[in-house]
Amino acid sequence: MAPRRKLIVVSNRGPVAFGRDADGGRVARRGGGGLVTALRSLVSHHEVTWIASAMSEEDRAVAEEAGGEAVEETARDGSLYRLRLVAHDPNAYDWYYNVIANPVLWFIQHYLWGLASAPDVDHGLHHAWNEGYVAVNRNFADAVVAELEREPEAAVFFHDYHLYVAPRMVRERAPDATLSHFVHVPWAMPEYWRVLPDAIRRAVHEGILANDVVSLHTRRWRRNFLRSCEDVLDDAEIDWGAGEIGFGGHVAAVRSHPISVDADEFDAFAESPEVLAEEWAIESDRPEFLILRVDRTDPSKNVVRGFRAYELYLEAHPEMHRRVQMLALLDPSRQDIPEYAEYLGAIQRGARAVNDRFQQEGWLPLTFDIQDNFLRAVAAYKQFDVLLVNAIFDGMNLVAKEAPLVNTRDGVLLLSENAGAHEELGEWTLTVNPFDVAGQAEAIHEALTMAPEERRRRSAAIKRHVREHDIAAWIDAQLHDLDEARERAGSTLSTR
Ligand code: F6P
């Protein structure tokens, strides 16, 4: 076990979201998403101060009562940590999250635009960058600097695309701090970054290079990162062999570490009474063959093409009618952003098209639930025969690891070649091209007719891999990188 360290974790979404229960009492609900789940285990083993945005009204009340300082919180396992919620100006937060971080940076990093029609980089976008993204990052940087003044030895762990410019702001005020950044999304090829005006794309790259370590999930995203730094910042020095980038008198190491799950915790959760109750409901209603997908309603997840592929499969295989069903469990996401609201509409239309065409008395070919229900998702993980993960691009995709881990039916994973998980699991999956709906339809057929022995072999191999490369390995690798960064900084200081 690694020694206990002082860490400052910085992410937009925090580990808990405060709200009120029916009696009006304050409650702390677990924050959603893969990033938060993965980082929770840090709290048990280290002295953590977590800085996050105050997102709900109640979060803002907590921040105000604490005078902007950190409050002491207790994690589910009883560990204590400090939580510092940053209450941003609501307009600035809206521009940051709903105009820049998701519809611009997320769209770039998942290649979601057809460039003939979008985006228009207009005054609104420039304004949202300056008064939203930069302003909110400045608030985060102020909070980090305040925490570093309290604990100068703490290492800072920035997370994700919401915080690209904050590290540089911190570096300017705390030159000797140890800073690292984990990017949980793909890194796009250099050409796609050129959609952004020079000043903005430079700010993104310069901002993140102020860290000592920059990590991404896969070798592919790491390679793209090195390339785009070389392209966007003509004054950056890239050491391809060492994976280091020198820029502005500072060196950042660039690493890849695939995120994973806490296998033991997940196993226990899958056997909890709440999940078993959900599983019973699914099992008593399931057809002979169950095709599952579990996603946020995000355009990058490619739900509509998945439905189209299933439609093509049903068209080609009438013998499977009444014997198969697709279950789509979809967590509504980012609905204040028009592109996301429109995509949810497209999902509903796509599902209806399949059912209108094929449903028969007593058989609905496609069932979809649009709700945030993790218990039901884990119950369905146990029951699938085919799991469809056909993301257009995805940093990792934790569903591709969680679901096979607890599946009880030797289910086959159909996995997009553009999901980060493919780099690790590809050899045991049926690889699909996310745009090739005909190919996905054929892969569904191949999966449902695969010999039981072969299904077992693949399923067992994925389970083994996820167990052997679980979240503890991911965290250890990053702490190791931090130690290396500190040593490097120490030797630079001593040779000055
Ligand atoms: O990296 C992607 C990510 O940050 C995940 O951690 C999470 O599942 C998702 O995006 C959630 O995004 P948001 O915080 O916008 O709901």
Side-chain angles (χ1 to χ4, degrees):
M1 169 87 42
R4 237 178 129 72
R5 296 150 193 264
K6 292 178 176 144
L7 300 174
I8 299 171
V9 173
V10 197
S11 63
N12 177 54
R13 194 174 284 281
V16 290
F18 291 97
R20 294 268 169 188
D21 63 15
D23 303 326
R26 178 172 287 161
V27 284
R29 301 192 183 91
R30 190 185 128 173
L35 179 160
V36 162
T37 312
L39 292 176
R40 265 184 316 140
S41 62
L42 273 179
V43 166
S44 325
H45 300 118
H46 302 282
E47 266 175 55
V48 171
T49 295
W50 199 317
I51 302 176
S53 291
M55 293 172 100
S56 65
E57 274 310 306
E58 204 55 29
D59 285 353
R60 298 179 72 82
V62 170
E64 197 176 322
E65 284 163 28
E69 297 291 319
V71 292
E72 188 131 294
E73 274 296 305
T74 310
R76 267 198 319 188
D77 66 356
S79 321
L80 293 178
Y81 68 101
R82 297 172 71 251
L83 175 65
R84 183 175 182 131
L85 291 174
V86 185
H88 311 285
D89 170 77
N91 284 330
Y93 190 79
D94 180 44
W95 295 322
Y96 153 84
Y97 186 83
N98 291 323
V99 182
I100 300 294
N102 291 309
V104 173
L105 296 174
W106 180 275
F107 268 50
I108 286 187
Q109 298 199 244
H110 295 82
Y111 302 87
L112 292 178
W113 287 309
L115 295 184
S117 50
D120 283 341
V121 180
D122 54 14
H123 287 307
L125 194 147
H126 280 283
H127 177 264
W129 172 263
N130 292 319
E131 305 302 325
Y133 193 82
V134 174
V136 166
N137 270 254
R138 191 172 302 115
N139 294 344
F140 271 108
D142 290 345
V144 171
V145 170
E147 290 299 332
L148 280 173
E149 277 163 8
R150 183 180 171 274
E151 247 353 318
E153 285 305 299
V156 183
F157 254 141
F158 290 101
H159 285 271
D160 237 350
Y161 57 98
H162 311 88
L163 298 171
Y164 287 148
V165 297
R168 189 175 171 77
M169 297 168 173
V170 173
R171 177 68 69 208
E172 280 163 4
R173 290 157 66 188
D176 297 329
T178 307
L179 310 180
S180 83
H181 204 129
F182 200 97
V183 179
H184 293 256
V185 291
W187 200 271
M189 295 283 286
E191 302 301 338
Y192 210 64
W193 282 101
R194 286 186 173 264
V195 170
L196 291 179
D198 184 51
I200 297 183
R201 64 177 188 254
R202 278 189 78 91
V204 165
H205 288 77
E206 288 179 7
I208 196 168
L209 285 181
N211 289 286
D212 298 293
V213 185
V214 178
S215 300
L216 303 104
H217 286 308
T218 65
R219 295 187 294 277
R220 185 177 176 188
W221 312 145
R222 173 177 179 268
R223 209 164 43 236
N224 284 355
F225 181 78
L226 290 163
R227 283 183 190 151
S228 86
C229 286
E230 183 173 52
D231 185 78
V232 170
L233 304 173
D234 37 22
D235 34 354
E237 280 173 38
I238 318 288
D239 181 338
W240 287 89
E244 289 178 357
I245 304 181
F247 179 76
H250 175 79
V251 174
V254 185
R255 303 287 177 252
S256 63
H257 300 301
I259 201 169
S260 192
V261 296
D262 183 332
D264 293 337
E265 189 189 79
F266 215 80
D267 282 340
F269 184 62
E271 291 308 315
S272 66
E274 296 83 357
V275 170
L276 291 176
E278 290 283 353
E279 191 184 0
W280 182 83
I282 292 174
E283 202 171 5
S284 51
D285 206 30
R286 58 161 294 143
E288 191 180 342
F289 299 107
L290 186 67
I291 303 170
L292 176 70
R293 71 171 309 137
V294 177
D295 287 298
R296 286 184 303 104
T297 54
D298 191 301
S300 69
K301 303 295 181 183
N302 210 18
V303 180
V304 177
R305 283 201 191 84
F307 289 170
R308 176 75 183 129
Y310 179 53
E311 185 179 353
L312 294 177
Y313 168 76
L314 291 176
E315 183 181 283
H317 294 279
E319 76 283 4
M320 295 299 280
H321 294 187
R322 307 189 75 90
R323 298 177 65 192
V324 66
Q325 188 176 53
M326 178 178 269
L327 174 62
L329 301 180
L330 304 171
D331 183 1
S333 186
R334 304 176 186 162
Q335 289 300 300
D336 291 335
I337 301 170
E339 288 86 339
Y340 280 77
E342 282 155 19
Y343 194 67
L344 182 51
I347 289 174
Q348 287 164 318
R349 284 194 298 278
R352 184 175 287 271
V354 176
N355 283 335
D356 282 352
R357 187 162 169 207
F358 292 107
Q359 68 189 331
Q360 300 171 13
E361 184 67 36
W363 178 57
L364 193 64
L366 196 161
T367 305
F368 69 99
D369 279 357
I370 297 186
Q371 55 166 319
D372 173 10
N373 187 344
F374 193 56
L375 292 171
R376 186 158 157 77
V378 176
Y381 286 170
K382 295 166 79 179
Q383 286 287 322
F384 74 81
D385 299 290
V386 174
L387 177 72
L388 179 58
V389 178
N390 66 331
I392 290 176
F393 279 93
D394 211 331
M396 171 52 66
N397 197 295
L398 279 179
V399 172
K401 292 189 171 182
E402 292 168 352
L405 185 69
V406 295
N407 181 256
T408 58
R409 296 175 63 88
D410 295 333
V412 179
L413 172 55
L414 266 52
L415 185 58
S416 166
E417 61 186 339
N418 294 337
H422 194 269
E423 206 165 280
E424 291 171 88
L425 307 180
E427 62 180 298
W428 307 300
T429 68
L430 294 182
T431 299
V432 293
N433 173 308
F435 309 100
D436 182 357
V437 286
Q440 288 166 50
E442 281 162 24
I444 292 174
H445 175 65
E446 191 181 339
L448 288 176
T449 52
M450 189 180 283
E453 266 310 294
E454 182 59 12
R455 293 167 58 115
R456 199 164 310 131
R457 184 186 74 78
R458 290 173 185 242
S459 162
I462 296 176
K463 284 184 204 291
R464 199 175 324 115
H465 180 92
V466 176
R467 248 171 238 300
E468 284 169 6
H469 302 84
D470 84 347
I471 190 68
W474 182 73
I475 286 175
D476 285 353
Q478 287 177 81
L479 295 175
H480 173 80
D481 287 348
L482 277 182
D483 288 342
E484 275 191 353
R486 282 222 150 115
E487 271 167 35
R488 245 195 356 251
S491 63
T492 322
L493 284 177
S494 60
T495 54
R496 264 180 204 160

